[in-house]
């Protein structure tokens, strides 16, 4: 799956057509492909993804302005408390060190999974 700044979730661009169709079907089944105006008022997942994306982008900007170990630790704590592991991995796609740190700090992930 691919997470986008708009809060949308869809198949990753590198998937073949057959697998992309399965991802689309799964997202529809789970209600994750709905636009915000289509979702029930009690379904806040789209808004939650937007908020997590905003935090992750602000954290990336903060890190670009001050790349010190303390900032990296603070970002990890923010990510853990916010959730949205895949969004954080997407926003920090160009920072392998941060991807590994995120993978190592989220329960149920492997640090090795972040390496290309």
């Amino acid at each position: 799956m691919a997470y986008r700044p708009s809060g949308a979730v869809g198949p990753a661009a590198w998937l073949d057509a057959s697998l992309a169709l399965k991802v689309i079907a799964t997202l529809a089944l789970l209600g994750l492909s709905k636009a915000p105006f289509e979702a029930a008022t009690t379904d806040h997942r789209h808004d939650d993804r937007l908020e997590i994306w905003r935090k992750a982008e602000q954290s990336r900007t903060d890190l670009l302005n001050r790349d010190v170990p303390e900032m990296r630790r603070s970002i990890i704590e923010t990510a853990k408390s916010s959730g949205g592991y895949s969004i954080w991995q997407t926003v920090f796609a160009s920072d392998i060190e941060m991807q590994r740190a995120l993978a190592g700090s989220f329960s149920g992930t492997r640090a090795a999974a972040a390496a290309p």
Side-chain angles (χ1 to χ4, degrees):
M1 283 195 288
Y3 291 80
R4 295 174 178 88
S6 66
V9 183
W14 52 266
L15 292 176
D16 66 49
S18 169
L19 194 50
L21 288 173
K22 289 178 182 177
V23 169
I24 291 168
T26 301
L27 292 172
L29 179 68
L30 298 173
L32 291 172
S33 59
K34 292 180 183 176
F37 57 85
E38 295 176 304
T41 56
T42 58
D43 186 349
H44 301 283
R45 293 176 293 180
H46 183 271
D47 293 336
D48 293 345
R49 288 191 302 269
L50 282 174
E51 179 62 17
I52 294 166
W53 193 282
R54 186 198 62 75
K55 286 180 184 180
E57 283 190 328
Q58 182 61 57
S59 295
R60 184 185 61 204
T61 299
D62 292 345
L63 185 62
L64 290 171
N65 290 327
R66 184 165 163 75
D67 191 348
V68 295
E70 296 83 6
M71 180 65 74
R72 288 180 178 271
R73 281 194 301 273
S74 178
I75 291 170
I76 294 298
E77 291 306 313
T78 300
K80 285 171 41 179
S81 67
S82 299
Y85 172 76
S86 296
I87 294 171
W88 288 90
Q89 285 289 354
T90 300
V91 170
F92 282 94
S94 64
D95 188 333
I96 298 302
E97 181 182 340
M98 184 57 80
Q99 284 190 318
R100 286 188 179 130
L102 287 162
S105 63
F106 273 77
S107 178
T109 62
R110 277 185 336 158

